[in-house]
Amino acid sequence: MGLTSNKMLALAILFAVLLFVGTLWLWPRLARRSWRAVSGRAGLLLATQLALFVCLGIAVNQAFGFYASWGDLFGTETDQGVVVDHTAGAAAGAPLRVVSTSEVHGMGGSLPRTAGQIQQVGIVGRTTHIATPAYVYLPPEYFQQQYRTRTFPVVVVLSGYPGTARALVDKLHYPRTAQHLVRAGKMRPTILVMLRPTVAPPRDTECVDIPHGPQTESFFARDLPAAVRAHYRAAVKPGGWGIVGDSTGGYCALKLAMHHPGVYAAGAGLSPSYKAPLDATTGDLFQGDRNLKNRANLWWFLKHEPAPDTSLLVTSSKVGETNYKATLKFIASVEATKLTRISSIILDSGGHNFNTWRREIPATLQWLSGRLSGG
């Protein structure tokens, strides 16, 4: 039974209810002062509280998409995965292979030319050999006759850590939001490539090229764009690609846009951090390489490296976000460069959660579209 399934949540709730009823039923029998009675009462109360905690944890995980499976939760998911090609005629060893397709729900019809299409894909980096699943959203215009010779701008969308790529579709509603904006004339038709930055689960690589480890930054800066361009009518010229992410994904988006302005013309960080942490989830990211550690610190980069010719967007909240003061400082630091462009979304209140990011995503996608060149 899957961690995110409704059956799992229903079973946990049922178990909690039965424990509660059982506690009420057995309580009179355990009213004595013997050690067995006291132990029984303590055990029932503890079991009931634990069952309620499990229900809450499963419900929160379903809402926010922290862990996709039991293996993801317990850190036993270590395989990079096997890419299975279900597309007839695809070249063997292709860097991007389509696994399945689905429609964008609630957008009026099931035909790709009217509702767009979401493709679940497997991507293998030609140079980094990193393999990771992703979801690609193709707008309705991609399938329409009048656009058959056009290329489309691309926005790479990153989840937080641990996060799931599917949550970008089902919980944060990136494809649906993009379609609404296009229909309202606020955004150009754009390809969205949605994935999590955790390309070597369960390790949090913080989009760093780890010495003797996963070359995550190179994957996002070189392999991913090459794979997408080889398979889709995606923008080839500089200025046609942007990147956005939340939390850890937001830090990655800012860093990739700053380190590789020739690849990403714009980067948006929703509730981002501004340097890579070192903790139990990351391990030793830099292996004693001081230059690598410095470059992963966006404060250091702004002060010591040439200002990148790119556009950045950062978001925070005056109440509810821990990065508010750091975000104001980052904005001031970018403004001092005179070349890198900076924009922001500052909410009066909002936490580090999906609800807050859903409030910021429409304006963020509109901002990105305005800074990307068309096909």
Side-chain angles (χ1 to χ4, degrees):
M1 192 174 297
L3 177 62
T4 59
S5 70
N6 290 328
K7 289 182 179 179
M8 185 66 211
L9 179 58
L11 182 62
I13 292 173
L14 177 62
F15 183 67
V17 170
L18 291 176
L19 268 177
F20 177 73
V21 172
T23 299
L24 294 178
W25 180 261
L26 294 173
W27 198 263
R29 302 183 184 183
L30 300 173
R32 305 181 188 88
R33 294 186 178 181
S34 66
W35 68 269
R36 290 185 178 180
V38 172
S39 298
R41 293 198 298 270
L44 285 172
L45 289 175
L46 181 62
T48 303
Q49 293 295 321
L50 182 60
L52 290 174
F53 178 78
V54 169
C55 290
L56 181 61
I58 293 174
V60 169
N61 186 64
Q62 279 195 353
F64 294 100
F66 296 122
Y67 299 97
S69 65
W70 295 107
D72 200 11
L73 174 63
F74 292 112
T76 59
E77 182 184 277
T78 58
D79 293 339
Q80 294 261 337
V82 178
V83 179
V84 180
D85 184 19
H86 294 276
T87 304
L96 188 151
R97 299 183 180 185
V98 178
V99 176
S100 64
T101 62
S102 61
E103 62 187 79
V104 182
H105 296 296
M107 297 311 296
S110 58
L111 296 177
R113 67 174 180 271
T114 58
Q117 187 177 81
I118 296 171
Q119 297 185 349
Q120 183 179 359
V121 304
I123 300 173
V124 180
R126 286 292 200 194
T127 63
T128 62
H129 307 294
I130 287 175
T132 188
Y135 292 90
V136 175
Y137 161 71
L138 302 173
E141 291 80 4
Y142 189 90
F143 302 95
Q144 294 173 5
Q145 183 68 16
Q146 62 268 37
Y147 290 90
R148 68 186 184 280
T149 61
R150 293 280 300 276
T151 58
F152 291 78
V154 179
V155 171
V156 175
V157 185
L158 301 177
S159 71
Y161 176 85
T164 65
R166 189 68 205 181
L168 299 170
V169 178
D170 294 339
K171 306 299 182 181
L172 290 178
H173 310 305
Y174 271 96
R176 193 188 314 170
T177 302
Q179 276 207 41
H180 283 306
L181 289 171
V182 171
R183 291 181 179 182
K186 298 179 179 180
M187 179 181 177
R188 286 198 303 274
T190 301
I191 296 172
L192 304 181
V193 182
M194 297 164 284
L195 66 168
R196 60 179 187 169
T198 314
V199 296
R203 189 175 189 182
D204 176 12
T205 63
E206 292 287 325
C207 298
V208 169
D209 279 350
I210 302 173
H212 312 295
Q215 303 295 288
T216 312
E217 181 170 346
S218 293
F219 172 80
F220 284 108
R222 184 168 60 243
D223 286 346
L224 177 63
V228 172
R229 289 185 180 121
H231 195 89
Y232 299 104
R233 300 197 312 276
V236 176
K237 297 179 180 178
W241 283 62
I243 186 167
V244 59
D246 59 76
S247 192
T248 297
Y251 161 73
C252 288
L254 296 176
K255 182 172 68 174
L256 286 161
M258 292 171 66
H259 286 188
H260 307 278
V263 178
Y264 295 108
L270 311 184
S271 307
S273 55
Y274 299 101
K275 64 178 181 178
L278 291 177
D279 55 30
T281 65
T282 64
D284 186 357
L285 293 175
F286 309 113
Q287 302 290 313
D289 189 328
R290 182 170 294 276
N291 181 61
L292 187 63
K293 181 178 180 180
N294 287 338
R295 283 179 56 81
N297 185 322
L298 302 189
W299 307 110
W300 186 95
F301 190 88
L302 286 170
K303 186 176 181 180
H304 295 91
E305 295 284 346
D309 184 10
T310 192
S311 296
L312 304 176
L313 170 71
V314 291
T315 79
S316 189
S317 303
K318 296 178 182 177
V319 177
E321 280 281 19
T322 59
N323 76 335
Y324 175 60
K325 291 183 179 179
T327 296
L328 297 182
K329 178 184 174 183
F330 184 78
I331 292 170
S333 297
V334 176
E335 287 178 330
T337 68
K338 306 300 183 182
L339 178 61
T340 307
R341 298 160 294 282
I342 186 71
S343 303
S344 66
I345 299 173
I346 305 295
L347 302 177
D348 288 332
S349 64
H352 199 80
N353 54 52
F354 280 13
N355 183 58
T356 297
W357 299 329
R358 279 192 292 262
R359 295 160 60 195
E360 298 166 343
I361 287 170
T364 299
L365 286 177
Q366 187 175 347
W367 177 88
L368 281 166
S369 183
R371 281 151 184 82
L372 302 183
S373 59

